[in-house]
Amino acid sequence: MKKLFVMVVMFVFSWVYAQRIVTLGPRLTEQVFELGYGANIVGNTIYCTRPAAAQKIQKVGNVIEINVEAIAALQPDLILGTDLNDSKRLEKLRQLGFKVVVFKQPANFSEICEEYLQIARLLGKEKEATKRIAVLKDEVEKVRKQTAHGPRRRVFFQIGINPLWTLPDQSFMQDYLVYANAINIATNVGYGQISLEQVIVADPEVILIALMDNEAKEATALWKKNPNLSAVKRNHIHVIDTTMATSPTPTTFVAILKQIVSMTR
């Protein structure tokens, strides 16, 4: 009898949480998959490419321009959006009666973890997520201690090519370099745009490139045309998975951080 009662309770609660989810950002899609709800995603954006299964889900627009009619036709019981989505279209979905939860762009690793926990609460996975976050924070702390007394390399972190773009201030991506104990040569460039001349004058020892395939090749070729750069002399120009680096979950943040540590030693 007790076993039957538990089964009934589990069945009832399985329907309390969302069964049909639309995710409107790459990191949101990946986090839902990590929490075991990937099969419940019925729509996402063209930029939701991780994990591979996310690519097969119906597309409902890009990160900025979402298709309200396509989303409504899917009849989701939960829509996870970001502050990059068109706010008027999100409001339209609310007016149509859909539950819409919007997450702002995280400013640091702690906010990435908090976003993960918020999504976990919506899906009834808070307990498991809390344990996972504790493990990942412990891994970050180990990295911080590991790098605290090592060499501090001057790093240029490129995320755009035309125009040249680097980490903006107050970005979670700054945490990659902070925890790796590296020096960001572009901390004074405000919202992220920087000139080629500024980079050359700063003479980075390491160049990290988070761009798509063809752009990454173009950027690498650009830097190699400047043989006097320390990063070129040291052969320390590295291409990083742009989706993982720019739209991380707590798990992929730690994975990218460890890559960067190995590249900046």
Side-chain angles (χ1 to χ4, degrees), residues 12-29:
V12 170
F13 275 88
S14 71
W15 287 97
V16 171
Y17 300 104
Q19 300 299 304
R20 297 180 62 80
I21 305 169
V22 169
T23 51
L24 300 175
R27 71 176 189 276
L28 302 179
T29 297

Side-chain angles (χ1 to χ4, degrees), residues 27 30-36 50-51 108-117 128-140 143 172 176 243-259:
R27 71 176 189 276
E30 195 163 356
Q31 287 177 102
V32 173
F33 268 95
E34 286 185 9
L35 288 163
R50 291 176 53 84
N108 49 51
F109 176 60
S110 292
E111 290 190 9
I112 293 172
C113 293
E114 181 53 36
E115 178 182 87
Y116 185 76
L117 288 172
E128 298 92 326
T130 300
K131 289 181 180 177
R132 180 65 181 155
I133 291 298
V135 171
L136 292 169
K137 286 187 173 180
D138 185 54
E139 289 192 42
V140 169
V143 169
F172 67 84
Y176 291 134
T243 301
M244 284 181 65
T246 60
S247 298
T249 70
T251 302
T252 55
F253 178 94
V254 173
I256 289 292
L257 172 61
K258 289 180 178 179
Q259 285 184 30

Side-chain angles (χ1 to χ4, degrees), residues 116-134:
Y116 185 76
L117 288 172
Q118 289 181 41
I119 294 172
R121 290 185 192 108
L122 290 169
L123 301 178
K125 293 283 188 176
E126 183 175 6
K127 186 176 180 181
E128 298 92 326
T130 300
K131 289 181 180 177
R132 180 65 181 155
I133 291 298

Side-chain angles (χ1 to χ4, degrees), residues 151-166:
R152 298 198 70 203
R153 303 295 185 191
R154 300 187 308 278
V155 176
F156 174 61
F157 202 140
Q158 183 176 0
I159 59 174
I161 188 167
N162 293 311
L164 197 57
W165 212 266
T166 187

Side-chain angles (χ1 to χ4, degrees), residues 77-95:
D77 45 19
L78 177 62
I79 299 170
L80 302 178
T82 80
D83 55 3
L84 295 177
N85 301 139
D86 186 319
S87 59
K88 292 181 179 177
R89 298 186 188 194
L90 291 175
E91 184 56 31
K92 178 65 176 177
L93 288 164
R94 289 193 182 95
Q95 292 172 359

Side-chain angles (χ1 to χ4, degrees), residues 44 46 59 74-75 86 119 160 236 259:
N44 63 18
I46 61 173
K59 304 303 174 187
L74 292 170
Q75 288 295 298
D86 186 319
I119 294 172
H236 272 285
Q259 285 184 30

Side-chain angles (χ1 to χ4, degrees), residues 3-16:
K3 184 177 180 181
L4 177 62
F5 175 75
V6 171
M7 290 177 66
V8 170
V9 169
M10 289 178 66
F11 176 78
V12 170
F13 275 88
S14 71
W15 287 97
V16 171

